Amino acid sequence: MHTFVLNINMQKRITIKDIAFELNVHHSTVSRALRNDQRVKEETRELILNYAREHDYQTNMNALQLRGKTNNTIALIVPNINHNFFSDIVSKLTNLGYANGYVISVFQTNEKYQLEREIINTIIKYNFAGVIVSIAKDTLQCDHFALLKKYAIPLVFFDRICEDILTPKVKINNFEITAEITEYLIKKGYKKIVHLTGTTNINVFRDRQNGYESMIRNYEMEYKNSLQVSDDFTVEVGKDIFMKLWRQSPRPDAIISSSVHLTIGILVEARSLGVQIPKDLGIITFGRIVSSEIIEPQITFIDQQESEIAQLSFELLVKMIRHEIQLGESIEKIVRSQIIYKSSC
Amino acid sequence: MHTFVLNINMQKRITIKDIAFELNVHHSTVSRALRNDQRVKEETRELILNYAREHDYQTNMNALQLRGKTNNTIALIVPNINHNFFSDIVSKLTNLGYANGYVISVFQTNEKYQLEREIINTIIKYNFAGVIVSIAKDTLQCDHFALLKKYAIPLVFFDRICEDILTPKVKINNFEITAEITEYLIKKGYKKIVHLTGTTNINVFRDRQNGYESMIRNYEMEYKNSLQVSDDFTVEVGKDIFMKLWRQSPRPDAIISSSVHLTIGILVEARSLGVQIPKDLGIITFGRIVSSEIIEPQITFIDQQESEIAQLSFELLVKMIRHEIQLGESIEKIVRSQIIYKSSC
DNA sequence: ATATTTAATACAAACGTGTGCAAAGATAAA
DNA sequence: TTTATCTTTGCACACGTTTGTATTAAATAT
């Protein structure tokens, strides 16, 4: 015999059966009343609804889903939310979700493949209605996303994507825009342009590198330096990189930075060394610096159209959830990013 | 008669019963094998585990929870994640969760009471293991949190809290630190100090206002101006406020700002008007500006110890989940924030 | 009056899992 | 051989819902 000690706070949650018992009806009647089935008499419906309201009845989603009902929860997976690119998208998506009756649940991988995998498993286990993902830098293998498809959970990639998974994707024109700014710098007279980017395992950074290199080739520049930063994109890392670059010979005379945080690090050290921008060093960065207006000189940057990315991703996912788009379909939307010209080059 | 068209992609998820059927054992045996019950023969266990692995079996959490099992998902609710204060905490908590076997699911209220309510309902419906919350500015009523307690879901407040809900809370010393910086400004010779804060419905802003006012009273200053900003804390709003303040007579000679975004707005407009900092205007802000090091002059700010807030909140919640802290217990932890002295006053 | 339709409710099965208990099979002891 | 102990597996129910069908009660028609 086993004695069970009930925690004094432990409240059994009120169920449809409890209501049925109290009101002397069958629980199926309660269920129908709550779901506004016409088959239940006005009078009893009122009774049931009132009781439910008074006792704060909440549907048990676990039971509901077990019955095979779909739900309204969307998972959003991002590498991190410290960077404005992602936090802007999270914000926008939260609002879109709310306006359309979905609840957005945000997961952060911190750029870790392992955590990403675990999150995907959790999503499957809990049977989310859909997933919107931008993958971690660590992610070389995409099996876990294939798993999602196996379990028939709609999936949309944005920005950082897995090429080999057939599913809707939203990207920006990384190749073209990077080629464009590289050309812009060349035409401005810069000769030694460094391209600062992430691991080329990720489409975003690979495309940017290719865009940079293609233009360097076009203009037959003799200086070519596409630097892949494997560390996290932090201000500190930006400082380190700049110091190393500046000690090199020949020194670069322009930098294209893939990340705002790196850019800030560069600016800090440049200032401390008295490096003049844009005279000694030209700079263009992906993404807006929050305090851009009080930085002298203001930095030319690439507006990544976060809002549009969020909008498109959301629309695609909802269509998948509604079966208006098939599960294996591979739609690719390209968002055109824009150069915002300031005075840093 | 109703014909049912099965979506070609629609895969029934593999269950414990499927495995049982394929391997000619009872599903209870499969269940035991998967949970490493010693009662199942080594040989069959191997068979089952292999089959499960090969077919990517994932436990159905809905079924599991329906059986009354607890889970490992923690909900984190924040007003927004655009502000570094919150995004830092989200980051830290995600890592803590991961390290301790929990999955953190982040919800953003966008400062909206209604959305906050809905999120709480979702959390109850899905039966999360626990919740960590910083409330929205709109939130005047706290019934929804009482509901959480009713459903026996552990709850920890941090930073912005509901006073009347008895549950663990983690705050910073808003009153003391604001009093301290007010005194600091007074001693520096500033005579007309404006305090820029949020609605006093929220403890954080109320405490800060009280701290400011108490010190203004102590020193019998004749200028007193605690301004409650009801709009979102954005750079644009910061600009507007500064322009209004600067047109007033008498002009303020110092500003205490509750938000980094407001501060940036102020700095932008101050610069455009040629206002000298700290000579014409002193400034202190709550929270670090990401690009602080390249802003001239550097801004004195209050370090809110996000990391410690996250750590304490997490520990408290986990203790509640483990029943080491009772559900109604009202523990209050105060984190001591610190002034980081720079040259803006 | 009885037969027929309609409205309202009850019954039972199912979703996927875990678990106490019974049953069967195997091994050891008598 | 029988009996006792131990190991392994099967059975059945429960969790909270929904829903097709059966049942009852009420209303209408004959």
Side-chain angles (χ1 to χ4, degrees):
Chain A
M1 195 57 185
H2 186 269
T3 53
F4 180 69
V5 181
L6 187 72
N7 189 315
I8 193 126
N9 291 311
M10 215 59 152
Q11 291 244 5
K12 197 179 85 65
R13 59 187 296 158
I14 183 174
T15 75
I16 230 167
K17 284 186 182 175
D18 296 332
I19 301 180
F21 179 79
E22 287 300 324
L23 266 46
N24 267 316
V25 291
H26 197 262
H27 69 270
S28 61
T29 307
V30 177
S31 171
R32 280 191 253 265
L34 290 171
R35 312 203 79 237
N36 279 324
D37 192 310
Q38 306 101 326
R39 292 200 297 170
V40 51
K41 187 161 57 166
E42 189 60 30
E43 189 189 329
T44 45
R45 192 216 312 290
E46 285 295 314
L47 219 62
I48 291 168
L49 290 182
N50 282 336
Y51 190 95
R53 206 174 302 119
E54 277 170 29
H55 291 75
D56 297 307
Y57 168 78
Q58 298 277 351
T59 319
N60 183 331
M61 289 305 265
N62 295 308
L64 221 169
Q65 289 208 45
L66 200 54
R67 282 278 319 187
K69 294 290 164 193
T70 52
N71 61 46
N72 65 336
T73 49
I74 291 175
L76 173 58
I77 308 181
V78 292
N80 58 67
I81 60 171
N82 292 325
H83 289 68
N84 270 81
F85 175 72
F86 290 116
S87 72
D88 281 355
I89 286 176
V90 171
S91 250
K92 178 80 179 176
L93 272 169
T94 307
N95 287 338
L96 278 171
Y98 180 50
N100 293 62
Y102 291 95
V103 177
I104 308 276
S105 188
V106 185
F107 297 89
Q108 184 185 244
T109 61
N110 264 329
E111 304 282 12
K112 294 195 199 81
Y113 166 68
Q114 263 307 329
L115 184 45
E116 189 176 276
R117 274 190 76 97
E118 272 190 42
I119 290 169
I120 292 291
N121 281 341
T122 303
I123 286 166
I124 293 173
K125 283 181 187 151
Y126 282 93
N127 209 23
F128 276 73
V131 194
I132 299 176
V133 188
S134 194
I135 66 173
K137 281 191 206 163
D138 279 8
T139 301
L140 308 179
Q141 228 184 339
C142 288
D143 304 4
H144 47 315
F145 294 115
L147 205 58
L148 271 180
K149 200 189 294 182
K150 180 167 177 180
Y151 279 93
I153 298 177
L155 166 67
V156 172
F157 284 114
F158 76 93
D159 197 51
R160 303 202 205 154
I161 68 183
C162 283
E163 310 272 11
D164 48 336
I165 302 285
L166 296 183
T167 204
K169 291 156 190 159
V170 180
K171 310 200 274 188
I172 68 165
N173 54 345
N174 281 299
F175 181 95
E176 293 78 8
I177 199 76
T178 314
E180 194 178 334
I181 56 178
T182 306
E183 184 172 33
Y184 174 74
L185 286 171
I186 292 171
K187 285 190 172 163
K188 281 267 181 177
Y190 291 102
K191 304 282 186 215
K192 283 160 287 187
I193 305 168
V194 170
H195 178 237
L196 221 60
T197 194
T199 165
T200 50
N201 295 318
I202 301 291
N203 63 301
V204 170
F205 305 120
R206 185 170 57 243
D207 293 351
R208 288 181 189 171
Q209 172 156 319
N210 289 338
Y212 163 82
E213 288 184 348
S214 83
M215 208 44 81
I216 291 290
R217 231 179 294 117
N218 271 9
Y219 283 84
E220 295 173 347
M221 307 295 287
E222 54 187 31
Y223 185 99
K224 184 183 97 173
N225 190 359
S226 194
L227 211 61
Q228 290 165 38
V229 182
S230 56
D231 298 311
D232 281 354
F233 291 168
T234 63
V235 173
E236 287 309 312
V237 170
K239 289 184 188 175
D240 286 354
I241 289 170
F242 177 77
M243 291 313 265
K244 275 182 200 144
L245 280 173
W246 208 245
R247 272 193 232 106
Q248 280 178 14
S249 156
R251 276 182 182 159
D253 60 6
I255 298 179
I256 298 169
S257 164
S258 260
S259 151
V260 161
H261 285 191
L262 292 181
T263 306
I264 291 172
I266 291 165
L267 292 173
V268 170
E269 293 295 21
R271 162 161 311 189
S272 81
L273 293 181
V275 176
Q276 295 290 317
I277 293 170
K279 193 158 60 75
D280 306 337
L281 184 74
I283 268 207
I284 296 187
T285 185
F286 278 85
R288 178 195 300 271
I289 300 175
V290 177
S291 48
S292 59
E293 294 175 78
I294 35 175
I295 292 172
E296 198 60 50
Q298 292 195 20
I299 309 297
T300 296
F301 68 95
I302 291 160
D303 178 348
Q304 294 180 276
Q305 312 281 8
E306 291 86 350
S307 187
E308 198 183 340
I309 293 176
Q311 178 80 40
L312 283 172
S313 306
F314 184 73
E315 280 171 8
L316 286 168
L317 190 77
V318 168
K319 278 186 185 162
M320 288 186 87
I321 292 174
R322 293 184 185 152
H323 299 291
E324 293 165 28
I325 295 179
Q326 291 292 321
L327 218 63
E329 226 169 307
S330 185
I331 302 163
E332 257 195 34
K333 302 267 184 187
I334 309 289
V335 173
R336 292 176 59 89
S337 59
Q338 285 179 10
I339 307 175
I340 310 294
Y341 296 99
K342 299 289 180 180
S343 41
S344 65
C345 50
Chain B
M1 195 55 188
H2 187 269
T3 54
F4 181 70
V5 181
L6 187 71
N7 189 316
I8 194 126
N9 292 309
M10 215 59 153
Q11 292 244 6
K12 200 180 82 65
R13 58 187 298 159
I14 182 174
T15 74
I16 231 169
K17 283 186 183 175
D18 297 331
I19 300 178
F21 179 78
E22 288 300 325
L23 268 45
N24 268 316
V25 291
H26 197 263
H27 72 268
S28 61
T29 307
V30 177
S31 170
R32 281 190 259 264
L34 290 171
R35 312 204 78 237
N36 280 322
D37 192 310
Q38 307 101 326
R39 292 199 296 170
V40 52
K41 189 161 55 166
E42 188 61 27
E43 191 189 329
T44 46
R45 191 216 313 289
E46 285 294 315
L47 219 60
I48 292 169
L49 289 182
N50 283 335
Y51 190 95
R53 206 173 301 120
E54 278 171 29
H55 291 74
D56 298 309
Y57 169 77
Q58 298 277 351
T59 318
N60 184 330
M61 288 306 264
N62 294 308
L64 221 170
Q65 289 207 44
L66 200 53
R67 280 277 321 189
K69 294 291 165 193
T70 52
N71 62 46
N72 65 334
T73 49
I74 291 175
L76 173 57
I77 307 180
V78 292
N80 58 67
I81 61 171
N82 292 325
H83 290 66
N84 270 80
F85 174 72
F86 290 116
S87 71
D88 282 355
I89 285 175
V90 171
S91 250
K92 178 79 180 177
L93 271 170
T94 306
N95 288 338
L96 278 171
Y98 181 50
N100 292 47
Y102 290 95
V103 176
I104 307 278
S105 189
V106 185
F107 297 89
Q108 184 185 242
T109 61
N110 263 329
E111 305 283 11
K112 293 196 199 82
Y113 166 69
Q114 263 306 330
L115 184 45
E116 189 175 278
R117 274 189 76 97
E118 272 190 41
I119 290 169
I120 291 290
N121 282 340
T122 303
I123 285 166
I124 292 173
K125 283 181 186 150
Y126 282 93
N127 209 21
F128 276 71
V131 193
I132 299 177
V133 188
S134 194
I135 66 172
K137 280 191 206 163
D138 278 10
T139 301
L140 307 180
Q141 227 184 341
C142 289
D143 304 5
H144 47 315
F145 295 115
L147 205 57
L148 272 180
K149 200 189 295 181
K150 180 166 179 181
Y151 279 92
I153 297 177
L155 166 67
V156 172
F157 284 114
F158 76 92
D159 197 50
R160 304 203 205 152
I161 67 182
C162 283
E163 310 273 11
D164 47 337
I165 302 285
L166 296 182
T167 203
K169 291 157 191 159
V170 179
K171 309 200 272 187
I172 67 166
N173 54 344
N174 281 300
F175 180 94
E176 293 77 8
I177 198 77
T178 313
E180 194 177 335
I181 55 179
T182 307
E183 182 170 35
Y184 174 74
L185 286 171
I186 293 171
K187 284 191 173 165
K188 280 268 180 176
Y190 291 102
K191 304 281 183 216
K192 283 160 286 186
I193 305 166
V194 170
H195 177 238
L196 220 59
T197 193
T199 165
T200 48
N201 294 318
I202 301 292
N203 63 301
V204 170
F205 306 119
R206 184 171 56 244
D207 291 351
R208 288 181 190 170
Q209 172 156 321
N210 289 338
Y212 162 83
E213 289 185 347
S214 84
M215 206 46 82
I216 292 289
R217 228 179 298 117
N218 271 9
Y219 282 83
E220 295 173 348
M221 307 294 287
E222 53 188 33
Y223 185 97
K224 185 183 98 173
N225 190 359
S226 194
L227 211 58
Q228 290 165 37
V229 182
S230 55
D231 298 310
D232 282 354
F233 291 168
T234 65
V235 174
E236 287 310 311
V237 169
K239 289 182 188 177
D240 286 354
I241 289 170
F242 177 76
M243 290 312 266
K244 275 182 201 143
L245 279 174
W246 207 246
R247 272 192 233 105
Q248 281 177 13
S249 157
R251 277 183 181 155
D253 60 6
I255 297 179
I256 297 169
S257 164
S258 259
S259 151
V260 161
H261 285 189
L262 292 181
T263 306
I264 292 172
I266 292 166
L267 292 173
V268 170
E269 293 295 21
R271 164 160 311 188
S272 80
L273 292 181
V275 176
Q276 296 290 318
I277 292 170
K279 193 158 61 75
D280 305 336
L281 183 75
I283 267 208
I284 296 187
T285 184
F286 277 84
R288 177 195 301 271
I289 300 176
V290 177
S291 48
S292 59
E293 293 174 79
I294 36 175
I295 292 172
E296 197 61 49
Q298 293 195 20
I299 309 297
T300 296
F301 68 94
I302 290 159
D303 178 348
Q304 293 179 276
Q305 311 281 9
E306 290 87 351
S307 188
E308 198 183 339
I309 293 176
Q311 179 79 42
L312 283 172
S313 306
F314 184 74
E315 280 170 8
L316 285 168
L317 189 77
V318 168
K319 277 187 186 160
M320 287 186 89
I321 292 174
R322 293 185 184 149
H323 299 291
E324 292 164 29
I325 295 179
Q326 291 290 323
L327 218 62
E329 223 168 309
S330 184
I331 301 163
E332 258 196 31
K333 302 266 187 188
I334 309 288
V335 173
R336 293 178 59 89
S337 58
Q338 283 178 11
I339 307 175
I340 310 294
Y341 296 98
K342 299 287 180 182
S343 41
S344 65
C345 51

